[in-house]
Amino acid sequence: MDWRSVSFDWNQVRAFLATVEEGSLSAAARALGQAQPTLGRQVSALEAALGVTLFDRVGKSLTLTPSGVDLLEHVREMGEAATRISLAATGHSQQIAGKVKISASDATAAYLLPRVLAELRIRAPDITVEIVTSNALSDLRRREADIAIRHVRPTEPDLVARKLPDASAHLYAAPAYLARYGRPRTLADLGDAAFIGVDRVDLMIEILQQHGLTLTPGNFPLLSANTLTCWELVKQGLGIGIMSNRVAELSPGIEMIDPPGFLPIPVPNWLTTHRELHTSRRIRLVFDLLAEMIGGKDAPQ
């Protein structure tokens, strides 16, 4: 290999790739934790080192030049290789210290993780945990998280997963709601009830119908894509909510109100990490503790 022909450094390449994928210098700077002028200088340095113009600059907007488009495929391959190197190095780390990123839904993060993290602080106080709270799936292969708690089984071949015991979702209401509208005794009693909608009402209606309950959009006067917001509206007596029993049991005073004929909704749980990371002592420790406390015999059932 002619080492003298490599006239750029990885930081410059990373700056270029981040700018393309994030859409702007400012967004790339935020993603990399750098100042925008620094990132701009790295991109300019790469252009100078390669002797090509990668972006057409019009005002504050950047557009890839033909040279930039040609280079992008090779740069993405470098980015993927760098990620694999990072994964492999992390996997061989034997220190019980450093950062572990856990991805979980908002309800899981708020209600189930604190108990686990309190125990982790005792067992491994040198581990720092960053919680990635999202109801979307984090891409573990791109290091958006080290460990994910998911409600779907992972299908990627380079991920490993442990099946946790299923939870189940039920209908819940606060005493204030039941005092105003009464406790439903039959499915028909819920025909005019007010429900709190989570994200897509059409999908909720479809799922609930499969479990014995027929509703219309008119049954959902309040809705939000944020599960914690929806649950707080339920706790305030503003409507009936659908929630995992593990979360609901940590909310004193909220009552399960499933009438006869309503079939509980299974909530599968999977603990997932990248195959390379599974050999890291700190990540394996956190992974096993999550499995023990969320899926073990002492977990909320």
Side-chain angles (χ1 to χ4, degrees):
M1 178 173 179
D2 183 3
W3 297 105
R4 291 172 296 180
S5 67
V6 181
S7 58
F8 57 87
D9 67 34
W10 166 243
N11 286 328
Q12 297 167 359
V13 174
R14 187 176 69 151
F16 167 66
L17 181 58
T19 301
V20 173
E21 296 200 339
E22 297 297 328
S24 68
L25 284 171
S26 58
R30 288 193 297 271
L32 295 178
Q34 296 183 359
Q36 182 175 333
T38 300
L39 199 76
R41 286 193 295 270
Q42 289 175 337
V43 173
S44 296
L46 179 62
E47 292 178 316
L50 298 177
V52 297
T53 300
L54 301 174
F55 292 106
D56 285 327
R57 296 163 171 82
V58 180
K60 293 184 178 181
S61 65
L62 297 176
T63 304
L64 278 173
T65 64
S67 296
V69 172
D70 290 341
L71 185 64
L72 182 58
E73 180 180 353
H74 301 292
V75 170
R76 282 192 169 131
E77 291 176 358
M78 291 180 64
E80 291 171 0
T83 298
R84 289 194 297 270
I85 292 170
S86 178
L87 284 168
T90 302
H92 287 292
S93 172
Q94 297 303 301
Q95 292 185 327
I96 308 295
K99 180 186 287 188
V100 177
K101 294 171 69 174
I102 302 173
S103 171
S105 67
D106 48 9
T108 297
Y111 283 90
L112 302 185
L113 281 187
R115 175 172 170 265
V116 181
L117 299 180
E119 179 63 22
L120 180 64
R121 296 294 301 139
I122 297 171
R123 297 192 191 185
D126 292 329
I127 291 180
T128 301
V129 174
E130 178 181 345
I131 301 172
V132 181
T133 305
S134 174
N135 292 328
L137 296 182
S138 296
D139 190 339
L140 301 185
R141 294 173 300 173
R142 298 186 65 183
R143 298 300 300 276
E144 291 180 357
D146 299 316
I147 300 171
I149 304 170
R150 296 178 172 179
H151 297 306
V152 294
R153 182 174 186 170
T155 57
E156 300 90 335
D158 48 355
L159 299 184
V160 295
R162 182 178 300 181
K163 181 71 170 67
L164 303 179
D166 290 346
S168 58
H170 301 263
L171 306 180
Y172 292 93
Y177 178 88
L178 297 175
R180 286 196 303 272
Y181 300 105
R183 180 182 297 274
R185 303 297 179 185
T186 67
L187 289 173
D189 291 343
L190 293 169
D192 296 324
F195 284 76
I196 306 299
V198 182
D199 201 7
R200 288 181 51 192
V201 167
D202 59 334
L203 184 58
M204 287 192 68
I205 290 174
E206 180 182 342
I207 292 173
L208 289 172
Q209 187 169 24
Q210 295 171 4
H211 291 265
L213 184 57
T214 300
L215 300 174
T216 70
N219 290 107
F220 296 87
L222 300 172
L223 67 152
S224 171
N226 184 283
T227 307
L228 291 182
T229 298
C230 293
W231 189 235
E232 189 61 32
L233 295 175
V234 173
K235 290 164 65 176
Q236 295 294 327
L238 297 176
I240 296 171
I242 296 92
M243 179 55 73
S244 161
N245 61 318
R246 291 185 179 177
V247 171
E249 288 166 4
L250 298 175
S251 301
I254 303 300
E255 300 182 38
M256 184 189 299
I257 58 167
D258 294 0
F262 179 77
L263 304 175
I265 303 170
V267 181
N269 291 288
W270 291 88
L271 195 58
T272 310
T273 188
H274 195 280
R275 190 176 303 279
E276 294 281 0
L277 297 182
H278 204 48
T279 59
S280 164
R281 289 186 67 194
R282 74 173 184 276
I283 292 176
R284 183 60 185 262
L285 186 150
V286 176
F287 186 94
D288 289 344
L289 184 60
L290 287 164
E292 173 190 336
M293 298 191 67
I294 293 181
K297 63 181 182 179
D298 296 328
Q301 299 297 318

